[in-house]
Structures are given as C-alpha cells and as structure tokens.
Amino acid sequence: MKTTTRKVTTMRMHNPPHPGAIIKTLCLEPLGVGVTQAAQALGVSRKTLSAILNGRAGISPEMAVRLSIAFDTSAESWLNQQTQYDLWHAEQRRKQLRVAKLAG
Amino acid sequence: MKTTTRKVTTMRMHNPPHPGAIIKTLCLEPLGVGVTQAAQALGVSRKTLSAILNGRAGISPEMAVRLSIAFDTSAESWLNQQTQYDLWHAEQRRKQLRVAKLAG
DNA sequence: TCAAGCGTAACCTATAAGGTTACAGATTGC
DNA sequence: GCAATCTGTAACCTTATAGGTTACGCTTGA
C-alpha cells in the first residue's frame, strides 16, 4: 500500500468540530438540559442556540460570555475553540489567496 | 492613601491593543513599508488595511492568513490577538447580560 | 391522542468586512 | 512654489452573519 507524506508544520490536520458540538456533548447532555431550557438560561432565542449547536452559526464574543456564566466555564476557551474552527476553514483557502511576501 | 482590592481571576486587566497597532509597529515600521505598499502585497484595498491599522476593523480569519503569508508569521497568533481584543470588550458588558447558571 | 421538544424556513434588523471613488491634509522632490 | 505621493476617511455599494419573532412539520413520551 502506498502512502503520501505531507507537510505538517502549517496544517491543523484534524478538522476541528464546531464548538456547538462541544456545547451539546459536554454541557447540555451531562446536565440533561434541553435546547429550549438552555436557551432560556442563556437569555437567547431557541433558534439562536439551535443554530450554534448544529454548526450553522458561530460563537460570538457575547455568546462566549453567556456560556461562561451558564456553565461556569472560561469565555476564552469558547472563543478560542471558535477561532480554531474559523482558522481551519480559512487555511483551506490559503492557496487561493494572492499575497506577496514582505518578510521571511 | 487608600487602595482597593479587586477581583483578578476573570479579569484581563490591561485593555489589549487592537491587533492593527501591532501590525503597524511590529511589521510595517521595521520593514519601512507603508500602508499603500502593504495593502498591495496583502491583496486588499488600502482602505481595508487602513481600517485595521487604526482599529476601525478587526482581523478576519482570511486576513490572518494573508498576514501570515506576507510577514511569515502564524495566522493563529493574529487571530488569537483579535480574539483577546474582542473578548476584553465583551467582558466589559458581562454584568449587563441576564444569564442563569446551569452548572457551577 | 396530544403536548412538548426540536430543527428550521421565512422574514426582519443591525453590524461588519470588503470594494470603489473621491476628497483633504501632510510630506517630499524638483 | 509646485507637483507627486502617501495617508486617513467619508460616501456609497454588496455580501455575510448574529439575533429576533413567528410558524410549520416531525418525533416522542405520558
């Protein structure tokens, strides 16, 4: 079987899950809390939370703070997860960008 | 003289500079590169870069990748700086948010 | 069966990034 | 002095996204 060696340095490798999946499995399910109840606690609409949970919306800075309050977690960690997710998708288009080097 | 003790754990303390200031002082100035030239290299309009440098726009994921190419840096670091900046401002409104605790 | 929970479509607003064009103020070279 | 250049920015456009409300259809449990 043939294998291919690929560059690793600038690659993130594992398509990071959208943060919504983490909210669902690490926050809602362990507490037995549903979408409706969680949305009420967070102070957002059920639609807004549902969109996040299903990867159709990102975690805004304000939402990160809301999550940190409701689940006693770090707002920074939620926002960092979103950043990693966004960055991975942006890196997928790296080769399409026409950018000239100024240093390096 | 009287002093006041304040909570530190969840506080970021030093109003983080917007990433544009860092681009200017750490990338453009050392290279002697102007806004016009840098914008051309990055493949964006002069207006777009000027807005970032002067704190009137944030660094998008795509822009982070552009910066990483032009200045041979890490896209992640640029995006993390933006995240810290955004988070600090979101934290300033933490008390205004009506959120119920679900854990903790 | 019926209520509750969930996903989501349709429609609205507000904000943000990005573009082009154009103008005014500085700087610099001739 | 004068012209060229660089810069900030306003005006105006498009696109995308977060967030809201309302409403619909599906599933599931009492």
Side-chain angles (χ1 to χ4, degrees):
Chain A
M1 170 222 254
K2 244 177 156 222
T3 55
T4 311
T5 309
R6 306 211 283 166
K7 198 176 174 199
V8 166
T9 18
T10 58
M11 230 179 301
R12 202 61 51 196
M13 207 57 42
H14 33 303
N15 191 327
H18 58 266
I22 294 162
I23 297 175
K24 185 179 295 187
T25 64
L26 261 56
C27 296
L28 300 195
E29 294 177 353
L31 293 173
V33 168
V35 177
T36 303
Q37 186 182 347
Q40 287 174 345
L42 289 165
V44 300
S45 72
R46 183 170 63 87
K47 176 219 161 184
T48 294
L49 180 57
S50 177
I52 292 172
L53 294 182
N54 294 286
R56 306 194 306 118
I59 295 186
S60 66
E62 181 182 301
M63 181 62 68
V65 175
R66 289 182 188 273
L67 291 169
S68 77
I69 298 173
F71 298 109
D72 194 35
T73 50
S74 149
E76 191 176 5
S77 72
W78 293 115
L79 224 40
N80 282 339
Q81 286 177 52
Q82 185 63 48
T83 294
Q84 294 306 313
Y85 182 78
D86 292 341
L87 183 55
W88 189 87
H89 291 279
E91 289 284 5
Q92 302 305 112
R93 293 162 196 62
R94 171 179 284 266
K95 296 160 213 63
Q96 271 91 74
L97 303 179
R98 303 213 310 357
V99 179
K101 292 184 186 175
L102 286 170
Chain B
M1 175 220 260
K2 242 173 157 224
T3 55
T4 312
T5 309
R6 306 211 283 166
K7 197 176 176 197
V8 165
T9 18
T10 57
M11 230 179 300
R12 204 59 51 195
M13 206 61 39
H14 31 305
N15 192 326
H18 60 268
I22 294 161
I23 297 176
K24 186 179 294 187
T25 62
L26 261 57
C27 295
L28 299 196
E29 293 177 354
L31 292 173
V33 168
V35 176
T36 303
Q37 186 183 346
Q40 288 173 345
L42 288 166
V44 299
S45 72
R46 183 171 63 86
K47 176 218 161 186
T48 293
L49 181 57
S50 176
I52 292 173
L53 294 182
N54 294 287
R56 306 193 307 119
I59 296 186
S60 67
E62 180 182 302
M63 182 62 68
V65 175
R66 290 182 188 274
L67 290 169
S68 76
I69 299 173
F71 298 109
D72 193 36
T73 50
S74 150
E76 191 176 4
S77 72
W78 292 115
L79 224 39
N80 281 340
Q81 286 177 51
Q82 185 64 48
T83 294
Q84 294 306 314
Y85 182 79
D86 293 340
L87 183 56
W88 189 87
H89 291 279
E91 288 284 6
Q92 302 305 111
R93 292 162 196 63
R94 168 179 286 264
K95 296 159 213 64
Q96 270 90 74
L97 303 179
R98 298 205 323 351
V99 179
K101 292 185 187 174
L102 286 171

